[in-house]
Amino acid sequence: MNEQLKALNTYFWNVGNDIADIRLLAEGALALYEGDAEPLHRLGMKNNEEVAASAFDTIGTALYDLRKRIADMQEGHLQETIRQSSESKHDS
């Protein structure tokens, strides 16, 4: 039983780290979208490339949604980790 608990703790630790890494990747993509890549939208509009400009907006929407979902996942993981930790203290 103790080995199973250790394996579960290791799994939760690794998942938490992976979620944090994924969140950093999404935040970096959003930073590029809002900064370096933003002129692409204006360029599309200036050159009557409304489809390209719209696609750029759609990418932004997807990135913002992805960031929200990752943050929610990270919060859920934290809450489950706290719950698991609390249960294991009560079981001891």
Side-chain angles (χ1 to χ4, degrees), residues 3-92:
E3 287 300 316
Q4 288 178 331
L5 187 57
K6 284 182 184 177
L8 184 60
N9 285 339
T10 299
Y11 173 77
F12 268 94
W13 180 263
N14 290 338
V15 168
N17 287 336
D18 288 345
I19 293 170
D21 288 346
I22 292 168
R23 186 170 183 183
L24 288 173
L25 290 169
E27 293 291 344
L30 269 166
L32 286 172
Y33 172 81
E34 292 173 342
D36 295 349
E38 200 278 326
L40 294 173
H41 182 267
R42 286 193 308 266
L43 189 61
M45 293 302 289
K46 181 180 174 184
N47 290 299
N48 297 320
E49 294 290 340
E50 292 84 6
V51 172
S54 178
F56 187 79
D57 288 340
T58 301
I59 291 167
T61 299
L63 287 172
Y64 287 111
D65 185 50
L66 179 63
R67 177 172 66 180
K68 171 81 170 95
R69 288 179 186 213
I70 292 168
D72 291 347
M73 186 186 310
Q74 198 171 28
E75 178 63 26
H77 179 268
L78 175 61
Q79 293 304 319
E80 180 61 18
T81 300
I82 291 168
R83 188 185 72 76
Q84 292 283 336
S85 176
S86 176
E87 280 184 7
S88 69
K89 287 179 184 175
H90 291 345
D91 292 343
S92 297

